[in-house]
Amino acid sequence: MQRAGALRTRWYLAVGAALTVVAVAAPTAHQRDAAYGLACVMLIGATLVSKRRTHLNGPVAAAIIVAVASLAVGHSLRGLRMQAAMFGHSALELVGTVAMIVAAVAVVRRRPPTRVAATVVDAGVLALGAWLIGWIVFVRPIADAHGQTGATLAVDGLLGPATMILLCLVALIVFSRTKPRLALRMLGSALLVDVIGHTTTALVDAGHLATSFDRFGGACHVAAYVIAGGALMHWTAAEILSPTTQPPLERRLGRLVLTTSGLLVPVVVLAATTPHDNADHWVRIVSVVAIGCATMVRVVMSGRDTTETQDELVRGAQTDALTGLPNRSTLLAKINECMTAAWSDNRQPALYFVDLDRFKNINDSLGHAAGDELLVMVAQRLRAAVPDHATVARLSGDEYVVLEPGAGSAAAAMALADRLLGVFREPLAMSHGDVFVTASIGIALLSLRSSSTPEDLLRHADTAMYRAKDAGRNCVALYDESMHQRVAHRLSLETALYRALDREELRMFHQPILDLDTGDVEGFEALMRWRREDGTEVSPVEFIPIAEDTGTINAIGAWALLEALIQLRLWIDEGVCSSLATMSVNVSPRQLADPGFPAMVSEALTRAAVSPHQLWLEVTEGIMIAEPELALATLQRLRSLGVRVALDDFGTGYSSLSLLQRFPLQRIKIDRAFVLGVADNPNDRSLVRTIVAMGRSLDLDIVAEGVETVQQMQVLSDLGCKKAQGYLISRPVPAEAMRTTVAALERLSGVPGLRPPAGRPATSLA
């Protein structure tokens, strides 16, 4: 359809170009007038086609047809050069211009120009300037040359302002989009060419140009009608009347230059000419006064706009754009005021840090627009829940802060916190439906010892909020000094962990996995240990979550995997273990979520010269529950490499059975919590028996973790569990101690029940 419309437009413009050539080169006036008339007919036809194909509405189409018809008849009257004919020509040109203004207004009303009043005043200044220039340069000389008086003179005088108003309206249409389409640009060009034609004709009538230029003026009219018709025929003409909420492109410098020219040019023309008579003198005076009044109004409006813009900038710098709440800088200023007043009034302000729980889930599932809607509704509820003298601010994202200047005590602060939590007990009625959301709240009370600045108080509330998150969310935590110590300790560990690899502070320990039937070492589990430069040991339970949160787990995990595989290769080559021994390496959820993780595993296997079948990657349920599709894709890619996957800590999660069915797992490791009571707790024994039977039915390898007594090992063997690891067999040991550990275990392979030899503690076989 677009190609067909473009083709019609090209044929239309080709015919119009031929008519324009005729209007310039035809030897007789009748031939030139015929070209003009055909151009008018073509424009009327293009208007009717556009009405049918692009849904140009009736009033606009009718106004265009009236305008073209009026201009065509007026053009024919101009050639008669009689007084009545000249009046008719001027009147019809005015009618045509007014009709075009009506059409342009209809289009402008469908679009939202900014600063409409300012645009109208600017157009008024230009119209008055055009009136004055037109009076001096065109209207008065033409009236003197042709003896025009009265009505004809008045009509000619109105043409200039009307044309300038039309130009301003078309400019609004053209620039109502950042990138105007072709049809809009063609319409603007057509009007400009038509104005050039009118100006040329007026200069000829006033005697300022030779009559030979009359052909050029007529050709401009023909070209303008042809271009306008081509614009209406083009497929982008549908945009002319399409409503839009997009703000127009404001060219303030261009408007300033244009408006200033509308003031300066009339002044220059006034200075260069003298009044012909008393009437001319008064017309000039009235026109200058009108221009001055319009200019004064525009200056006042500009000053008011500047003030409003400055106020808006100040509000924008002090408030949150989405919710209208005070922002961080405003909040800190209010906290400072409260702290200053508290020292003198013996008050104790309280600061509440409110953070929505799992807000990311709402953005991901419903979209950011719904997330913004929820943030606004939460802001409204918080404002309604706090006292009038309290301040509610939004820092960023889903973080809000409430400042209560006169809480007075911890009990009063907790009472308001409970009220804030109550805000989230009722669902939020959003456009997508009702949504429940909870929040974690941290409270910080002003303290002479620790809250010396607004930033301190805000940081303490933030720290307490994270304690509420760690406590399970949807609860309140009150800041105390121990929280600061824990945060400082964590920050110290985070900083040191970034450099731990470079300083070679991380080491790999290994724990053997024993085959209970043969007593052979079936494989090893690699476990990371961290000894800092000062000699302090940091537990994996402490530093692994930090590595997860900071993202350093990817680099540390890649190092650990390669180190473990290289060590396995070395043990095999040295005869420490069987050539079929395996290495189990723990994989964190963050590693599993990394798209490059399978490639990194493949590279580590290649560099260590270890078969993929000898690598077990141990994963937990976390990522398989939070990101099941991502986890499934990554595990399938790992399985395609030949790597085997084990589910660690089996039995502690709520969805373990479904995971066994969906994910490509080959081993389950029974959590030590069940192994601990397997010897003397019938419930644990029954549960382990069920796990082992289920594993067998699914053809899964079973490993029991945390075996600490011979009785536990004997019961596990009786229940059918074939592999185990734990302190009874061996504690995690450094690589250099593994040879003696494996040798000690092999010496026990012939002992019935794998009992420890005489004189050796029952807590360790190795």
Side-chain angles (χ1 to χ4, degrees):
M1 179 179 177
Q2 293 180 1
R3 292 183 61 184
L7 183 62
R8 286 194 301 269
T9 303
R10 283 197 291 268
W11 277 107
Y12 181 95
L13 293 176
V15 174
L19 289 179
T20 304
V21 172
V22 171
V24 174
T28 65
H30 292 295
Q31 292 172 337
R32 294 193 294 271
D33 290 341
Y36 183 94
L38 285 175
C40 292
V41 171
M42 288 176 62
L43 179 53
I44 293 174
T47 303
L48 296 176
V49 171
S50 180
K51 183 179 183 300
R52 180 166 54 89
R53 294 185 178 274
T54 64
H55 306 291
L56 190 70
N57 67 12
V60 174
I64 294 175
I65 292 173
V66 169
V68 174
S70 300
L71 293 172
V73 176
H75 180 79
S76 63
L77 292 176
R78 179 173 174 270
L80 299 178
R81 299 293 178 180
M82 295 185 298
Q83 187 72 23
M86 293 299 292
F87 172 76
H89 162 69
S90 300
L92 288 172
E93 277 205 344
L94 182 60
V95 169
T97 304
V98 171
M100 294 301 295
I101 291 174
V102 171
V105 168
V107 175
V108 169
R109 289 184 63 183
R110 305 274 290 184
R111 297 168 177 272
T114 59
R115 304 184 185 277
V116 175
T119 303
V120 170
V121 175
D122 286 344
V125 172
L126 292 173
L128 289 170
W131 149 259
L132 186 55
I133 295 172
W135 170 265
I136 296 173
V137 178
F138 304 118
V139 178
R140 190 67 195 184
I142 292 174
D144 293 340
H146 299 282
Q148 293 179 356
T149 57
T152 304
L153 193 61
V155 170
D156 285 342
L158 293 175
L159 272 174
T163 302
M164 188 56 62
I165 292 173
L166 180 59
L167 274 174
C168 292
L169 290 172
V170 173
L172 281 178
I173 298 172
V174 172
F175 295 118
S176 59
R177 292 185 186 270
T178 305
K179 294 182 179 179
R181 304 297 291 272
L182 180 60
L184 291 174
R185 292 198 295 266
M186 289 176 67
L187 281 179
S189 301
L191 184 60
L192 181 61
V193 172
D194 192 56
V195 169
I196 293 173
H198 279 293
T199 303
T200 303
T201 302
L203 289 172
V204 171
D205 290 340
H208 299 303
L209 289 176
T211 55
S212 59
F213 281 92
D214 202 28
R215 293 189 180 193
F216 175 76
C220 286
H221 294 313
V222 173
Y225 299 158
V226 169
I227 296 173
L232 295 176
M233 291 281 288
H234 198 262
W235 62 270
T236 58
E239 188 186 76
I240 297 175
L241 280 175
S242 61
T244 176
T245 57
Q246 182 180 358
L249 177 66
E250 287 201 32
R251 302 184 181 275
R252 297 191 177 184
L253 180 60
R255 283 179 58 172
L256 178 62
V257 172
L258 190 62
T259 307
T260 305
S261 301
L263 293 173
L264 292 179
V265 174
V267 171
V268 172
V269 173
L270 280 174
T273 60
T274 56
H276 290 275
D277 51 31
N278 197 41
D280 188 13
H281 178 75
W282 280 105
V283 167
R284 294 178 182 228
I285 291 176
V286 172
S287 300
V288 169
V289 171
I291 293 174
C293 292
T295 303
M296 183 174 61
V297 171
R298 186 65 181 93
V299 170
V300 172
M301 292 178 64
S302 179
R304 187 179 61 188
D305 290 344
T306 301
T307 302
E308 292 176 354
T309 301
Q310 290 175 345
D311 293 341
E312 186 176 343
L313 290 174
V314 171
R315 284 193 299 271
Q318 295 178 344
T319 60
D320 172 56
L322 178 63
T323 62
L325 297 176
N327 58 15
R328 183 186 184 89
S329 60
T330 306
L331 173 68
L332 291 175
K334 288 183 176 293
I335 295 175
N336 189 55
E337 293 175 4
C338 288
M339 293 177 69
T340 303
W343 304 135
S344 57
D345 299 344
N346 196 26
R347 292 188 298 172
Q348 192 176 28
L351 200 65
Y352 303 79
F353 202 110
V354 183
D355 187 271
L356 303 185
D357 296 329
R358 299 182 177 90
F359 175 70
K360 182 178 182 297
N361 294 344
I362 295 176
N363 268 341
D364 293 344
S365 59
L366 300 180
H368 289 278
D372 289 345
E373 181 184 358
L374 184 142
L375 292 174
V376 172
M377 296 181 70
V378 169
Q380 294 170 348
R381 286 198 178 185
L382 290 176
R383 277 188 292 196
V386 302
D388 293 338
H389 59 271
T391 299
V392 180
R394 177 174 177 242
L395 298 189
S396 63
D398 58 342
E399 297 177 341
Y400 299 86
V401 173
V402 177
L403 173 62
E404 165 58 277
S409 65
M414 290 297 295
L416 179 56
D418 289 339
R419 196 190 317 168
L420 294 177
L421 274 184
V423 163
F424 302 97
R425 294 193 181 103
E426 295 295 327
L428 296 167
M430 298 173 56
S431 56
H432 291 75
D434 289 352
V435 174
F436 282 92
V437 66
T438 60
S440 301
I441 302 177
I443 310 172
L445 294 170
L446 181 63
S447 170
L448 293 174
R449 291 181 300 172
S450 60
S451 304
S452 58
T453 66
E455 289 81 2
D456 289 340
L457 195 61
L458 185 60
R459 186 176 63 255
H460 295 166
D462 189 17
T463 301
M465 182 273 294
Y466 277 106
R467 170 52 62 90
K469 292 276 189 187
D470 294 340
R473 297 182 171 88
N474 192 26
C475 60
V476 178
L478 183 64
Y479 176 81
D480 59 52
E481 292 298 326
S482 63
M483 292 183 186
H484 176 71
Q485 295 171 3
R486 284 191 292 271
V487 171
H489 176 65
R490 179 186 170 92
L491 182 60
S492 173
L493 288 182
E494 285 183 10
T495 305
L497 191 56
Y498 277 107
R499 302 186 178 96
L501 268 180
D502 296 335
R503 293 174 176 173
E504 298 183 352
E505 296 176 358
L506 297 175
R507 297 182 63 196
M508 297 305 296
F509 278 51
H510 302 83
Q511 187 175 43
I513 300 174
L514 204 64
D515 188 314
L516 299 186
D517 285 342
T518 64
D520 295 334
V521 174
E522 186 271 344
F524 310 90
E525 180 178 359
L527 301 166
M528 196 182 305
R529 296 294 184 263
W530 182 17
R531 178 189 289 271
R532 300 182 63 177
E533 281 186 330
D534 57 5
T536 58
E537 296 277 354
V538 184
S539 169
V541 177
E542 188 173 10
F543 75 79
I544 292 297
I546 295 176
E548 277 275 341
D549 292 342
T550 59
T552 55
I553 192 66
N554 290 328
I556 293 175
W559 168 83
L561 177 64
L562 181 60
E563 190 79 3
L565 292 175
I566 290 176
Q567 188 61 63
L568 177 63
R569 179 77 267 163
L570 185 61
W571 284 335
I572 293 174
D573 293 343
E574 293 177 349
V576 174
C577 60
S578 165
S579 61
L580 299 178
T582 63
M583 180 63 71
S584 298
V585 180
N586 290 284
V587 177
S588 74
R590 190 151 187 165
Q591 287 177 279
L592 207 59
D594 183 3
F597 180 67
M600 184 270 292
V601 172
S602 177
E603 181 183 357
L605 289 167
T606 302
R607 292 177 61 183
V610 172
S611 169
H613 189 71
Q614 293 178 269
L615 173 61
W616 285 97
L617 294 179
E618 297 188 3
V619 299
T620 58
E621 294 179 353
I623 190 171
M624 289 186 277
I625 296 172
E627 300 284 351
E629 300 302 328
L630 176 62
L632 180 60
T634 304
L635 292 179
Q636 287 175 340
R637 290 175 61 191
L638 291 169
R639 283 294 298 133
S640 68
L641 297 175
V643 174
R644 292 183 288 181
V645 182
L647 180 60
D648 200 9
D649 302 331
F650 182 81
T652 59
Y654 61 85
S655 59
S656 298
L657 296 179
S658 65
L659 297 180
L660 295 180
Q661 293 179 325
R662 182 176 184 187
F663 292 90
L665 303 171
Q666 292 78 45
R667 170 183 283 180
I668 54 177
K669 302 188 74 173
I670 304 173
D671 189 76
R672 66 183 306 273
F674 304 110
V675 174
L676 185 64
V678 73
D680 51 17
N681 188 321
N683 292 331
D684 286 348
R685 192 179 307 118
S686 297
L687 183 57
V688 171
R689 181 184 295 111
T690 303
I691 294 174
V692 172
M694 179 187 62
R696 282 180 174 178
S697 66
L698 295 174
D699 197 24
L700 296 174
D701 197 48
I702 309 294
V703 177
E705 296 181 293
V707 179
E708 297 182 357
T709 68
V710 174
Q711 291 78 14
Q712 292 171 356
M713 180 181 290
Q714 187 64 57
V715 172
L716 288 168
S717 180
D718 294 341
L719 292 175
C721 181
K722 303 301 182 183
K723 295 176 181 132
Q725 67 183 99
Y727 284 0
L728 174 67
I729 299 168
S730 172
R731 291 177 178 272
V733 297
E736 57 269 19
M738 187 56 70
R739 178 181 291 276
T740 58
T741 300
V742 172
L745 290 171
E746 288 176 346
R747 288 196 299 271
L748 298 169
S749 60
V751 180
L754 296 176
R755 286 178 168 79
R760 181 167 295 171
T763 55
S764 177
L765 296 177

